[in-house]
Amino acid sequence: MKKCSDLVFRYMRVDHLPQIWCPGCGNGILMRYVAAAIDDLKLEREKVVIVSGIGCSSRAAGYLDFNTIHTTHGRAIPFATGIKLARPELEVIVITGDGDCTAIGGNHLIHAARRNMELTVIVFNNNIYGMTGGQYSPTTPTGEYGTTAPYGNIDRQFDIPLLAAAAGASYTARGSAYHTQQTIKVIRDGIANPGFSLIDCLSPCPTYYGRKNKKGSAVDMMKYQRDHGITQTQWDKLSEEERKDKFIIGQLTKNDYPGYTAIYRQIIEKKRENTENKDRK
Amino acid sequence: MSRSVLMQGNEACVEGALAAGMRFFAGYPITPSTEIAEACAVRLPQVGGVFIQMEDEIAGLAAVIGASVAGKKAMTATSGPGFSLKQENIGYASLAEIPCVIVDVQRCGPSTGMPTSPAQGDLMQARWGTHGDHPVIAVSPSGVQEVYSLAIRCFNLSEKYRTPVIFLMDEIVGHMREGIVIPDPDSYEVINRPLSGVSGINKTCFHVDPGEWVPRMAPFGDGERYNITGLIHDESGFPTNDHDTARKLMERLFQKISCNYDDIVQVENDMMEDAEIAVVCFGGTARAAKEAIREARSHGIRAGMFRPVTVWPFPEKELRGWIPQLKKIIMAEHNAGQMLREVQRVTEGRLPISFIGKIDGTLIRPDEILQKINEANNEKMQ
Amino acid sequence: MSKVLVLNPDWCKGCGICAAFCPTEALEIVLEKASLKENNQCILCGRCEELCPDYAVFISDTEKHS
């Protein structure tokens, strides 16, 4: 008897499952959405590269059956940049976390966005450092608790898609573990977008973030996503006050600015030609 | 066909790397290595390669490792503070066995120090800079011609042994301009990494075939699927906490260097055949040492120069070989005594060693070495 | 070709998400594992499969499993 669905069987390294994440962690749900989006796009599996950093989220690379590389903390995006520049025909997807991507790796995020490097960055955003046991991250809301914020977090939180869009990303979106179809769609659209895509995927962490902040069980945290995630259209109709505890699920920004490797390829073509002509003379 | 050109050391590093097949460079501007990035920016697109200036030093090496994983020969260059920042990813390349070349054009001082002044204070950092036990190959040139040829050698060693190689230049050779001969491509060997040629899932991507030292590599995108990690991993490339697996992996990483010592280690012996006094030095310091021993010879003093070209692993066998005929060693280096420790370790107190070290950004002059040679010669007479 | 709900207790961590979001309340957690209630009300909608973090519950074609 088969142990899992066709989707999981096809795109994951089943002999490494079950995964190591805690019961009710959203990362497993989101990892399945990534596989579903890749399946929808019918990408050639040998041409897909998954790059991850360090942290709970970054264990995803090991479970996905593509070319996968689990790199150093915060550096998934520059590793991915090197892969993409070396072989622009590859579809390079970064799976990272809120700490990995926006704290230790924050500089790389904004610069890859500024270059509009043709990468899809999927952030499994659980508002906490899970792997190390519950320290506050750049997306822990102000006033909430972590083991390193015992008196309440006084930092303000990053809005990751807003940050990426401001830095120059050509596609930004938000999904969540609860919003299945919407999240698969934005991952799919993000991969299909030729430039830099950033998809903020909200991931419940019942073990650390949830427990520290009395958010209830995994089920309660999923319900929170269900009850507070709204569409752009709904958002537009709300007052500033009504928007307070809501977040948009779906595409946030998009533009057609050309990708970095596409522009660099033109330089290569031009300079190569010039040099060859010179050689001929 | 070979041709003669006037070239700066940093430029020669790029031309040598290109000759070795480098097609990717990622880095960050830093004195005195910046000309390497500048030359790569000009030259790489001309040969179909890629240059990118990254947002910081860490990203420079990260992108280089990424490009290498995707099948390109890749290099980064840095200096001083930048070399400190690259250390974590050097460790990654070491454990994950990703070929790459890291050029460090050494400058003076800890921290920002004296950016335009020469020093050789990164010798021990090249050996021990990244955390954890790890093997290392580091190579140090003494002139522009050698920068060119050793850049090729760095890539060859890196590809052959699937390891990061540190090209330990210094400001002396980096900014030196000399006439050099660009050799005919047929006159030197270019080594490429061993390829696996597997298609589909590779569950033994870190398996080493009998008689080989490193696993065969599969560039991402060539049709193979596997996992790379900076965690201790098994033959399938997956993380493990199994102590047996960890020990075997670490032993092999060390042995692929130690068991190939003779292939990796190079030294220069200048007038050492009958030498009683040996000046030991590396990198740009050799210029002054050569002048000093020639001057000493002209006065009938039997002085020679022993220079590790491969500085790591340290050429202990070669140095040990000279001990019986020597009366004294003069260690000259632009640091506070880093290679001195290695020389002391190897000579085990069997020889007196006098030391010339400079850490103020000035150069060791030939007359300073000559003075030590003369002192040694007088001691011998007494 | 008919479909069937499959549970894999080896991978199930008993988080309860499948049971909580099942539109027909067909699932429950028994001894920390997801299981189908006795009065099987499963309509094979697949919502449990979409939300299971551990891929321990899914809808499958019966033919492939026979």
Side-chain angles (χ1 to χ4, degrees), chain C residues 29-45:
Chain C
I29 303 297
V30 179
L31 298 172
E32 298 189 333
K33 299 287 173 189
S35 64
L36 204 51
K37 287 180 185 168
E38 266 182 35
N39 59 334
N40 184 353
Q41 299 198 33
C42 176
I43 55 169
L44 301 167
C45 69

Side-chain angles (χ1 to χ4, degrees), chain B residues 280-310:
Chain B
V280 180
C281 63
F282 69 101
T285 314
R287 316 291 288 215
K290 276 175 184 283
E291 177 65 22
I293 59 168
R294 270 166 187 69
E295 186 63 24
R297 287 269 169 182
S298 74
H299 294 99
I301 302 171
R302 281 152 68 182
M305 182 194 77
F306 175 80
R307 177 172 69 97
V309 176
T310 305

Side-chain angles (χ1 to χ4, degrees), chain B residues 302-323:
Chain B
R302 281 152 68 182
M305 182 194 77
F306 175 80
R307 177 172 69 97
V309 176
T310 305
V311 290
W312 301 116
F314 186 74
E316 47 194 90
K317 198 169 84 183
E318 287 71 10
L319 178 59
R320 202 170 282 127
W322 293 119
I323 293 175

Side-chain angles (χ1 to χ4, degrees), chain A residues 46 67-68 70 87 108 115, chain B residues 55 92 222 224-225 227:
Chain A
E46 277 73 25
N67 283 300
T68 56
H70 180 225
R87 284 186 108 134
H108 309 308
R115 296 182 188 110
Chain B
E55 55 274 14
Y92 184 91
D222 269 9
E224 194 169 315
R225 301 196 305 279
N227 186 54

Side-chain angles (χ1 to χ4, degrees), chain A residues 54-91:
Chain A
I54 295 293
C56 293
S57 62
S58 297
R59 286 306 185 103
Y63 300 120
L64 290 162
D65 189 9
F66 302 93
N67 283 300
T68 56
I69 177 165
H70 180 225
T71 68
T72 48
H73 194 22
R75 319 303 170 198
I77 291 174
F79 271 77
T81 296
I83 294 168
K84 184 69 187 180
L85 279 165
R87 284 186 108 134
E89 74 275 18
L90 298 180
E91 199 60 70

Side-chain angles (χ1 to χ4, degrees), chain A residues 80-102:
Chain A
T81 296
I83 294 168
K84 184 69 187 180
L85 279 165
R87 284 186 108 134
E89 74 275 18
L90 298 180
E91 199 60 70
V92 184
I93 299 167
V94 174
I95 297 181
T96 173
D98 40 307
D100 193 53
C101 181
T102 69

